[in-house]
């Protein structure tokens, strides 16, 4: 496992680097990453060949992928009540609605969808769950869009992430410890990073090697 991990170059921390080489690819996100990486090829489906929806649980990497795509396409991230002026449409070929949920006004989403489609622009939408839609026109359009799911962080991704984070602290971690952490850590990247940082800080302060008993002692004081 160490040999495989050392061949992977990436950095996943609380500040997204927005580099494709920094994205941790695994079976849980591979298809979504492929769509983003290979844009503009195979992005959408007829009749909305320039629209893609990425759906996945919280902290699964949707916004990371949106940021990667924004860097590649110079996409504009649309906020609630954003006005799409002619100037904005002229200066951007791609747009993002990151975190579409029931707090967005359906008429606004329908307006964005229609005007971007009419102007031959690209649109990426990310969401955790598909909100219940009351507007038939919006529902019809959303149902016709290419959709890809990201799963909760899988074991493969967690192992790589844990290995890399300890490597960032110049710590060589055993496979036994990695496997233990994979079993007990929550499947949310921010929490994983926070807990690993806590383990590292306690290791430095106590000058103790990171072992399973040591981790059990530290995590007894952590809120998972």
């Amino acid at each position: 496992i160490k040999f495989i991990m050392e061949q992977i170059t990436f950095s996943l921390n609380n500040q997204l680097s927005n580099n494709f080489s920094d994205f941790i690819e695994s079976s849980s996100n591979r298809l979504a990453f492929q769509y983003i990486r290979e844009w503009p090829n195979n992005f959408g489906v007829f009749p909305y060949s320039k629209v893609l929806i990425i759906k996945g649980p919280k902290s699964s990497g949707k916004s990371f992928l949106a940021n990667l795509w924004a860097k590649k396409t110079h996409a504009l991230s649309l906020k609630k009540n954003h006005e799409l002026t002619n100037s904005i449409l002229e200066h951007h070929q791609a747009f993002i609605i990151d975190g579409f949920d029931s707090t967005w006004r359906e008429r606004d989403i329908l307006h964005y969808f229609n005007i971007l489609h009419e102007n031959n622009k690209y649109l990426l939408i990310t969401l955790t769950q598909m909100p219940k839609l009351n507007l038939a026109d919006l529902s019809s359009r959303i149902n016709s869009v290419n959709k890809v799911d990201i799963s909760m962080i899988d074991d493969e991704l967690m192992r790589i992430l844990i290995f890399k984070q300890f490597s960032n602290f110049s710590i060589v971690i055993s496979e036994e410890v990695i496997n233990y952490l994979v079993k007990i850590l929550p499947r949310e990247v921010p929490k994983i990073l926070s807990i690993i940082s806590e383990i590292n800080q306690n290791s430095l302060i106590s000058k103790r090697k990171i072992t399973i008993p040591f981790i059990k002692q530290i995590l007894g004081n952590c809120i998972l």
Side-chain angles (χ1 to χ4, degrees):
I1 186 171
K2 183 177 179 181
F3 173 74
I4 295 174
M5 289 178 177
E6 286 177 343
Q7 298 182 72
I8 301 174
T9 302
F10 58 89
S11 174
L12 190 57
N13 46 49
N14 290 321
Q15 293 183 339
L16 301 180
S17 64
N18 294 341
N19 292 320
F20 276 83
S21 61
D22 290 342
F23 185 76
I24 305 177
E25 181 182 354
S26 76
S27 57
S28 64
N29 57 37
R30 186 162 292 126
L31 182 57
F33 182 49
Q34 180 179 324
Y35 279 119
I36 297 300
R37 182 182 56 207
E38 296 180 358
W39 176 91
N41 299 320
N42 304 318
F43 191 72
V45 294
F46 181 83
Y48 302 111
S49 60
K50 294 192 173 184
V51 183
L52 176 68
I53 291 178
I54 296 179
K55 177 178 175 292
K58 180 182 177 182
S59 299
S60 59
K62 301 184 300 297
S63 293
F64 199 129
L65 286 173
N67 285 348
L68 289 178
W69 192 68
K71 182 177 181 181
K72 183 175 184 178
T73 64
H74 305 289
L76 175 66
S77 183
L78 294 175
K79 307 302 180 184
K80 295 170 185 175
N81 303 318
H82 213 131
E83 183 180 358
L84 286 178
T85 64
N86 289 332
S87 177
I88 289 177
L89 291 169
E90 288 174 2
H91 288 88
H92 296 276
Q93 66 170 334
F95 296 82
I96 297 171
I97 297 175
D98 190 19
F100 173 46
D101 58 23
S102 59
T103 65
W104 288 74
R105 294 193 307 181
E106 290 187 32
R107 291 195 179 279
D108 288 344
I109 298 295
L110 179 60
H111 172 68
Y112 297 150
F113 197 106
N114 288 341
I115 195 169
L116 294 177
H117 181 64
E118 292 167 4
N119 285 272
N120 204 30
K121 304 296 182 179
Y122 286 91
L123 174 62
L124 173 65
I125 300 174
T126 71
L127 48 82
T128 300
Q129 288 185 329
M130 185 65 69
K132 182 179 179 180
L133 302 175
N134 296 311
L135 286 180
D137 287 348
L138 178 59
S139 179
S140 174
R141 285 161 176 73
I142 293 297
N143 287 336
S144 302
V145 167
N146 190 21
K147 303 176 186 67
V148 60
D149 287 336
I150 296 180
S151 305
M152 184 62 73
I153 298 175
D154 58 16
D155 288 357
E156 176 189 2
L157 192 152
M158 284 194 71
R159 286 191 177 91
I160 297 172
L161 176 57
I162 292 166
F163 177 88
K164 175 58 179 176
Q165 286 307 114
F166 280 115
S167 296
N168 287 343
F169 295 128
S170 298
I171 295 174
V172 177
I173 200 77
S174 71
E175 184 173 347
E176 180 185 22
V177 170
I178 291 176
N179 290 336
Y180 175 72
L181 289 172
V182 167
K183 291 180 180 179
I184 67 168
L185 290 183
R187 303 269 161 157
E188 296 182 33
V189 172
K191 289 185 178 180
I192 293 171
L193 302 185
S194 176
I195 292 171
I196 290 177
S197 177
E198 179 76 12
I199 293 171
N200 176 63
Q201 287 297 320
N202 280 273
S203 174
L204 290 174
I205 293 171
S206 63
K207 297 181 180 180
R208 290 178 58 185
K209 184 178 180 181
I210 297 176
T211 61
I212 291 177
F214 177 73
I215 291 173
K216 287 181 178 179
Q217 177 184 335
I218 298 304
L219 296 190
N221 299 319
C222 290
I223 299 176
L224 300 182

